[in-house]
């Protein structure tokens, strides 16, 4: 069966520091992969999605970037974090129209 | 772009009551999905609907795909405390286009 792993679960970073969040999917090949951000108590904002290795679509211009170095690996990065980057980050993959989410990373930028 | 209007934004109900929430869209979708998110966790898929008019149940949950393909509703019967969370609707048109999500309905159940 397919599983999605996302880490770390929580992260506290100072403003101006770099960021790297990693997501991996097991049990499937060539999945579509997604990064979402959720502000406290709010909706899901799609940040990036990828339909294949090296293919990244950006939905919202911002201080973040994404990369897909391997088929089942999706990385969210920033060179210098801003206070506004705080939030709950979710990785996801899809099987047809069904989207399956990871457990999320709570990022606090102080 | 496509947008989903999900209502209500929040609900406070007594344990045992039934709950109804819905989503509407200005454009059609070929698939409607409903998710539940517990605090601090990722959303979990509850129900997927694939055909206009389809009515699907999952335990105490029932969801319907609107005839016009522009709306869907989710009902929860006899609510219990563990129903607390945020419920999201999502629509999918086709292919590799990402899901469009509603802004969520926050459900609170008072014991």
């Amino acid at each position: 069966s397919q599983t999605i792993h996302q880490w770390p679960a929580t992260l506290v970073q100072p403003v101006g520091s770099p960021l790297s969040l990693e997501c991996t999917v097991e049990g499937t090949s060539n999945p579509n992969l997604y990064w979402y951000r959720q502000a406290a108590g709010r909706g899901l904002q799609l940040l990036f999605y990828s339909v294949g290795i090296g293919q990244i679509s950006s939905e919202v211009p911002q201080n973040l970037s994404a990369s897909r170095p391997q088929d089942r690996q999706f990385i969210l990065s920033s060179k210098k974090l801003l206070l506004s980057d705080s939030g709950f980050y979710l990785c996801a993959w899809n099987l047809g129209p069904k989207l399956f989410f990871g457990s999320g990373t709570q990022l606090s930028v102080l | 772009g496509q947008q989903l209007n999900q209502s209500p934004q929040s609900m406070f109900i007594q344990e045992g009551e039934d709950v109804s929430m819905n989503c509407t869209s200005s454009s059609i979708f070929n698939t409607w999905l409903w998710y539940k998110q517990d605090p601090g966790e990722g959303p979990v898929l509850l129900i997927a609907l694939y055909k206009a008019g389809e009515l699907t149940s999952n335990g105490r949950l029932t969801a319907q795909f609107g005839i016009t393909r522009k709306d869907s509703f989710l009902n929860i019967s006899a609510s219990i405390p563990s129903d607390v969370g945020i419920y999201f609707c999502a629509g999918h048109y086709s292919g590799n286009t990402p899901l469009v999500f509603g802004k969520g309905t926050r459900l609170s159940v008072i014991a």
Side-chain angles (χ1 to χ4, degrees), chain B residues 48-95:
Chain B
L49 304 156
Y50 300 101
K51 290 172 54 178
E54 179 182 352
L55 185 70
T56 297
S57 293
N58 178 6
R60 294 179 296 105
L61 278 62
T62 301
Q64 185 159 28
F65 191 144
I67 291 291
T68 65
R69 295 164 65 194
K70 293 183 178 181
D71 63 311
S72 177
F73 72 75
L74 175 71
N75 287 343
I76 305 173
S77 63
S79 59
I80 59 178
S82 62
D83 290 334
V84 166
I86 304 177
Y87 292 80
F88 291 100
C89 63
H92 183 255
Y93 185 65
S94 68

Side-chain angles (χ1 to χ4, degrees), chain B residues 13-85:
Chain B
I13 62 168
Q14 292 282 344
E15 183 177 358
E17 288 183 351
D18 297 342
V19 174
S20 184
M21 58 191 80
N22 69 84
C23 269
T24 59
S25 170
S26 57
S27 53
I28 64 172
F29 288 105
N30 290 319
T31 304
W32 282 91
L33 305 104
W34 285 92
Y35 288 82
K36 183 197 176 194
Q37 184 180 27
D38 290 328
E41 299 185 14
V44 173
L45 180 64
L46 298 173
I47 292 178
L49 304 156
Y50 300 101
K51 290 172 54 178
E54 179 182 352
L55 185 70
T56 297
S57 293
N58 178 6
R60 294 179 296 105
L61 278 62
T62 301
Q64 185 159 28
F65 191 144
I67 291 291
T68 65
R69 295 164 65 194
K70 293 183 178 181
D71 63 311
S72 177
F73 72 75
L74 175 71
N75 287 343
I76 305 173
S77 63
S79 59
I80 59 178
S82 62
D83 290 334
V84 166

Side-chain angles (χ1 to χ4, degrees), chain A residues 11-20 81-83 86 107-110:
Chain A
L11 190 60
V12 180
Q13 292 285 101
V15 169
S17 64
L19 173 73
S20 180
L81 284 168
L82 306 172
L83 287 173
S86 294
L107 172 66
S108 299
V109 183
L110 305 177

